[in-house]
Amino acid sequence: MQDKNIKNLFDNYKVVMNHEEQYSLWDFSRDNPKGWVDAGFTGTQNECLEYIKNVWVDMRPLSVRKHIEKVDNNEKSN
């Protein structure tokens, strides 16, 4: 099991993102899962996780962020 974990640290991964701007890492050699697109970053597992940590600072799905923004704007205009 330890050899597999060490191997995974050096495999190539890519960062993918869905329509809700949620991020994940994916094996570089595989097609993206349906509904996910390349986020423009590839690297080791650790590098991809670090990238996600730096760019995904608001964990709320895009639809939730938009709804909250709409509610806030409506409250400000009243």
Side-chain angles (χ1 to χ4, degrees):
M1 176 97 168
Q2 185 176 12
D3 289 341
K4 183 179 179 184
N5 290 337
I6 291 171
K7 179 184 179 298
N8 285 342
L9 293 175
F10 300 102
D11 284 347
N12 284 323
Y13 290 87
K14 59 185 171 181
V15 177
V16 293
M17 182 177 67
N18 67 14
H19 70 283
E20 289 283 2
E21 294 183 356
Q22 296 169 310
Y23 292 84
S24 186
L25 63 132
W26 196 251
D27 186 313
F28 187 80
S29 65
R30 297 180 63 196
D31 290 337
N32 292 351
K34 186 174 180 167
W36 293 76
V37 297
D38 290 343
F41 187 87
T42 60
T44 65
Q45 182 180 24
N46 286 339
E47 290 168 337
C48 288
L49 290 172
E50 185 66 23
Y51 175 82
I52 291 171
K53 177 182 166 185
N54 290 323
V55 297
W56 195 11
V57 294
D58 189 342
M59 302 296 273
R60 299 173 299 171
L62 179 62
S63 59
V64 171
R65 295 192 317 260
K66 285 183 174 182
H67 176 74
I68 291 171
E69 182 179 319
K70 182 179 177 182
V71 169
D72 287 347
N73 288 337
N74 286 341
E75 288 177 359
K76 289 176 185 177
S77 65
N78 290 334

